[in-house]
Amino acid sequence: MSLFQDIYDVIIVGGGHAGCEAAAAAANRGSKTLLVTMNLQTIAQMSCNPAMGGIAKGQIVREIDAMGGYSGIVSDKTAIQFKMLNMSKGPAMWSPRVQSDRMRFAEEWRHMLERTPNLDFYQEMVSSLIVEGDNVQGVVTSLGIEIRSKSVVLTNGTFLNGLIHIGEKNFGGGRSGERASRGITEQLVELGFESGRMKTGTPPRVDGRSLDFTKMVEQPGDEHPQKFSFSAATKPLETQRSCHMAYTSNEVHEILKTGFDRSPMFNGNIQSSGPRYCPSIEDKINRFADKDRHQLFVEPEGWNTVEYYINGFSTSLPEDVQFKALSSVKGFEKVKFFRPGYAIEYDYFPPTQLKHTLETKLISGLYFAGQINGTTGYEEAACQGMMAGINASLKVEEQEPFILTRSEAYIGVLIDDLITKGTEEPYRMFTSRAEYRTLMRQDNADARLTPLSYAIGLASKEKLNAVEQKKEEAKDLIEFFENTSVAPEEINPILEDYNSSPMSQSDKMVKVFRRPQIALKDMLLLQDVKKYVSDNNLSHEVLEQAEIQIKYAGYIEKEKANADKLQRLENIRIPDNFDYKLLKSLSYEAREKLTKIRPTSISQASRISGVSPSDISVMLVYMGR
């Protein structure tokens, strides 16, 4: 008798951040789901830094949470520090970040998945896919066990033919201490997929008891911490752990340089592309030779551990060079290593081979999510996993796919960038990649996405009701400011503090609120405002929404208009089997790129590198526009 007699709706291969969100999304939509991973003890392992969020990444975590994913809740429950980054800039740039307890993070993910209905688990390596014709039909494990399914989501991370480098030494592995996955790349290439190699790295982990923190700069969390999840299931932190900042020096750089001839990055052992925006320490001192020091962030790995992560010291240099160099950093003179840093090379598949749903173009029912698509970062992987899980589940039910556009979510920007432009280096999300970041703020992710998620059967009715209530309360508060007047004698003392022109007669509060110098805290000093907020028991989130919508109304309306223009081009669909050879006026490069990527709309076609505005004009004329 076979271990698996039933046919699953969705099989998820890999238990990292992408795999966990994929499993949660598919199962919570009601699909019979199986998560297969090589080690159930390392589900949602934070294999690199113990943190979630950051610039643009925090927006993604908020979007996952708004959709009904688990990353925000797990991050809140296992946080040891919270910071809202970029607060000196406008709200479009504000980005939440938590320092996490690495062991508790993985444990909480495991608990949440085990409490999820419709989700089964199996520990073993998947060595191949069952493909019949152009359809995936399941997976085969390394023990030869066949598990049948209607769809498969591959979230293999760095495990596909993973090769770890420390100096001249290298060995197979998906993470330090874990074996690599073999067989899937070779099969996919045989099926016609194009593959490539990428690399990433991680710094040494050290014993905090061996460090002298008095020689470093303390980095505490926010005085009034917020949280990631919009859900009432989590609460802001009451106590926090500090991080610390140290600096390299010319002495440290000179020591590092002595190992360059033994570094796999410089001696030719590694030729694959690494993450440009998270370079190794040796890459930094080579590329930025004019800098006499670089920042190192010394981050605790949890509440009750002495292990520290040295953010900014990612390296694949020989372990003796790593140790000597780090020992020369102030505060690290007596450092003890838990483990050295290393680089890892792994297989990926250029994402231009995917549809917007993350389903492959070659094999029906097969989805890719995470680092297999050339991305880097937990957050980028997690949101892809969620979208792949949703779409695999919808396809099994023969329902319309779920696609987020560039003006709806950072998730939409990320996926569109990947499948339209591809990537030749590990892709990382930045706010600058989004054209409509004033619309897609971290604070309004729930208002943007929860109704969409509820419509496809993922977000709960309670979640939707909470969003609707928050929107209504913010709208009512804005109307209160628009309709209520304030007298000069009450507002002028506040205006004088900011050297702002005094009022000579009563006027609507909204006009005062729109002055650049005046903030919500100032308006809350007014008696009528204080009473309204108290009587209606308004939350910080509602107050913040009202303030942003009043202050940035002009910018928001302008971006909405631009997004509507984009949507009109998005609505001009290109048939699946369109023959670009028919358009003789297209440039050769445009014809080649359009044939390869096969965009679904004129808007997507316009974002393909090598397709010019004149090429788009040719297509619009041909389509009668």
Side-chain angles (χ1 to χ4, degrees):
M1 181 183 287
S2 170
L3 276 174
F4 298 94
Q5 293 177 302
D6 293 338
I7 297 176
Y8 283 94
D9 293 320
V10 185
I11 289 178
I12 316 293
V13 179
H17 298 261
C20 288
E21 286 290 4
N28 281 324
R29 283 206 70 261
S31 294
K32 186 172 174 56
T33 306
L34 175 69
L35 175 62
V36 187
T37 182
M38 291 201 294
N39 187 353
L40 284 168
Q41 306 311 313
T42 55
I43 278 180
Q45 178 83 282
M46 290 183 132
S47 50
C48 203
N49 65 319
M52 287 291 283
I55 309 299
K57 293 167 174 280
Q59 280 85 333
I60 289 175
V61 177
R62 279 270 167 99
E63 290 179 350
I64 293 170
D65 182 75
M67 289 286 299
Y70 290 171
S71 288
I73 292 174
V74 173
S75 295
D76 285 344
K77 287 186 174 181
T78 60
I80 63 175
Q81 186 193 89
F82 181 95
K83 274 192 172 183
M84 185 67 78
L85 307 180
N86 278 345
M87 286 300 285
S88 61
K89 300 180 180 178
M93 305 296 285
W94 300 348
S95 302
R97 181 184 190 269
V98 296
Q99 199 69 29
S100 302
D101 186 311
R102 188 166 66 87
M103 288 183 284
R104 287 191 59 215
F105 185 91
E107 179 186 41
E108 184 61 30
W109 253 113
R110 170 95 179 241
H111 289 164
M112 288 194 71
L113 289 175
E114 287 184 355
R115 293 194 296 265
T116 300
N118 309 310
L119 179 57
D120 293 343
F121 304 87
Y122 189 60
Q123 177 174 296
E124 210 196 318
M125 185 170 78
V126 169
S127 56
S128 63
L129 303 168
I130 303 170
V131 179
E132 296 173 4
D134 294 334
N135 297 286
V136 72
Q137 299 290 326
V139 301
V140 181
T141 72
S142 56
L143 290 177
I145 297 169
E146 287 193 2
I147 314 174
R148 294 276 170 170
S149 68
K150 298 170 187 174
S151 64
V152 173
V153 182
L154 293 183
T155 68
N156 305 75
T158 59
F159 284 80
L160 289 179
N161 292 324
L163 186 64
I164 291 173
H165 296 265
I166 303 176
E168 306 100 318
K169 303 161 191 167
N170 61 67
F171 49 91
R175 284 189 289 249
S176 183
E178 297 178 68
R179 60 186 173 144
S181 170
R182 317 231 176 254
I184 290 178
T185 295
E186 293 73 14
Q187 182 188 14
L188 290 172
V189 169
E190 204 172 294
L191 287 167
F193 286 90
E194 176 192 345
S195 73
R197 293 285 275 177
M198 280 190 178
K199 83 166 180 76
T200 189
T202 189
R205 286 5 178 243
V206 305
D207 188 335
R209 296 170 298 182
S210 66
L211 305 180
D212 184 350
F213 292 104
T214 64
K215 295 180 179 178
M216 305 178 201
V217 180
E218 187 177 6
Q219 302 270 289
D222 286 350
E223 187 178 349
H224 301 291
Q226 300 177 44
K227 62 193 188 82
F228 262 123
S229 180
F230 294 102
S231 161
T234 64
K235 289 182 168 51
L237 285 168
E238 293 181 5
T239 58
Q240 303 183 70
R241 278 199 76 175
S242 287
C243 298
H244 288 79
M245 187 163 63
Y247 295 93
T248 62
S249 63
N250 279 324
E251 181 192 357
V252 174
H253 298 176
E254 290 306 313
I255 295 170
L256 290 166
K257 287 175 185 175
T258 65
F260 278 11
D261 61 331
R262 298 161 63 201
S263 165
M265 191 176 74
F266 291 105
N267 65 19
N269 284 352
I270 293 180
Q271 296 181 340
S272 47
S273 300
R276 181 188 309 190
Y277 305 104
C278 190
S280 64
I281 188 67
E282 55 263 43
D283 195 20
K284 277 194 275 195
I285 63 174
N286 186 54
R287 280 166 52 190
F288 307 108
D290 57 316
K291 303 277 186 189
D292 57 8
R293 70 176 191 172
H294 294 284
Q295 292 177 333
L296 301 179
F297 296 95
V298 187
E299 302 176 342
E301 296 246 342
W303 284 114
N304 302 308
T305 179
V306 297
E307 187 173 358
Y308 275 75
Y309 177 93
I310 312 306
N311 198 339
F313 205 87
S314 176
T315 181
S316 58
L317 285 166
E319 65 277 13
D320 58 322
V321 178
Q322 294 184 34
F323 179 73
K324 189 176 179 185
L326 202 52
S327 298
S328 299
V329 173
K330 281 187 181 177
F332 284 77
E333 293 86 353
K334 297 179 180 178
V335 67
K336 292 181 181 178
F337 274 37
F338 274 15
R339 52 190 162 123
Y342 61 86
I344 182 166
E345 281 189 290
Y346 55 93
D347 294 336
Y348 86 105
F349 291 82
T352 51
Q353 301 171 100
L354 304 175
K355 301 174 183 177
H356 271 95
T357 57
L358 298 180
E359 184 182 23
T360 67
K361 294 172 182 174
L362 281 176
I363 304 296
S364 179
L366 177 63
Y367 297 77
F368 292 171
Q371 285 181 279
I372 192 173
N373 290 337
T375 61
T376 182
Y378 309 142
E379 304 83 359
E380 289 90 342
C383 72
Q384 290 175 70
M386 179 185 70
M387 295 300 286
I390 288 170
N391 279 304
S393 173
L394 288 167
K395 186 179 179 80
V396 166
E397 295 173 4
E398 299 183 352
Q399 292 191 36
E400 285 295 307
F402 180 71
I403 294 166
L404 291 169
T405 67
R406 297 185 73 90
S407 60
E408 287 176 320
Y410 273 85
I411 297 171
V413 173
L414 182 147
I415 293 174
D416 186 68
D417 276 354
L418 291 175
I419 69 162
T420 301
K421 301 170 184 174
T423 187
E424 294 176 355
E425 61 185 40
Y427 177 102
R428 179 179 175 181
M429 178 51 75
F430 290 101
T431 50
S432 58
R433 295 191 191 273
E435 302 92 328
Y436 307 107
R437 53 184 179 268
T438 304
L439 296 181
M440 304 188 309
R441 307 180 310 275
Q442 53 83 29
D443 60 88
N444 71 352
D446 55 345
R448 286 185 281 121
L449 300 179
T450 301
L452 302 179
S453 181
Y454 176 74
I456 59 165
L458 183 55
S460 67
K461 180 66 173 172
E462 293 138 349
K463 202 173 179 78
L464 180 67
N465 288 343
V467 171
E468 296 301 336
Q469 181 181 343
K470 179 175 150 187
K471 283 167 68 176
E472 196 60 37
E473 288 177 351
K475 178 172 164 286
D476 290 345
L477 179 56
I478 292 168
E479 288 178 358
F480 167 80
F481 282 120
E482 289 172 339
N483 298 327
T484 309
S485 297
V486 60
E489 56 269 22
E490 188 178 11
I491 195 65
N492 281 344
I494 296 172
L495 297 177
E496 285 167 15
D497 287 344
Y498 294 103
N499 293 320
S500 186
S501 303
M503 288 170 52
S504 56
Q505 59 185 35
S506 294
D507 208 342
K508 301 301 181 191
M509 285 185 180
V510 73
K511 291 186 180 179
V512 180
F513 205 172
R514 285 193 181 125
R515 294 194 186 193
Q517 310 93 327
I518 303 301
L520 175 64
K521 62 181 174 59
D522 302 306
M523 300 304 291
L524 288 172
L525 297 173
L526 304 177
Q527 288 304 313
D528 285 348
V529 177
K530 203 181 293 183
K531 185 175 186 307
Y532 183 92
V533 170
S534 174
D535 289 350
N536 291 279
N537 195 26
L538 298 183
S539 66
H540 167 78
E541 289 76 18
V542 169
L543 298 175
E544 184 180 70
Q545 277 301 300
E547 180 176 30
I548 291 170
Q549 289 182 44
I550 287 171
K551 289 280 194 185
Y552 295 89
Y555 296 103
I556 291 169
E557 286 308 314
K558 187 176 179 182
E559 277 204 0
K560 275 183 182 169
N562 289 336
D564 289 343
K565 287 179 190 173
L566 175 77
Q567 193 57 45
R568 287 198 287 274
L569 288 179
E570 207 69 68
N571 292 335
I572 305 175
R573 312 303 289 175
I574 302 173
D576 289 342
N577 57 354
F578 188 80
D579 185 359
Y580 293 97
K581 290 174 189 166
L582 296 173
L583 304 185
K584 304 298 182 189
S585 301
L586 281 180
S587 68
Y588 177 80
E589 184 182 6
R591 197 177 299 122
E592 191 179 55
K593 293 277 183 72
L594 291 163
T595 300
K596 180 181 178 181
I597 294 172
R598 306 214 65 81
T600 57
S601 70
I602 291 291
S603 179
Q604 187 194 352
S606 70
R607 295 189 292 274
I608 297 173
S609 173
V611 176
S612 68
S614 61
D615 293 318
I616 295 299
S617 296
V618 169
M619 294 177 70
L620 286 169
V621 168
Y622 184 85
M623 293 179 177
R625 301 302 179 104

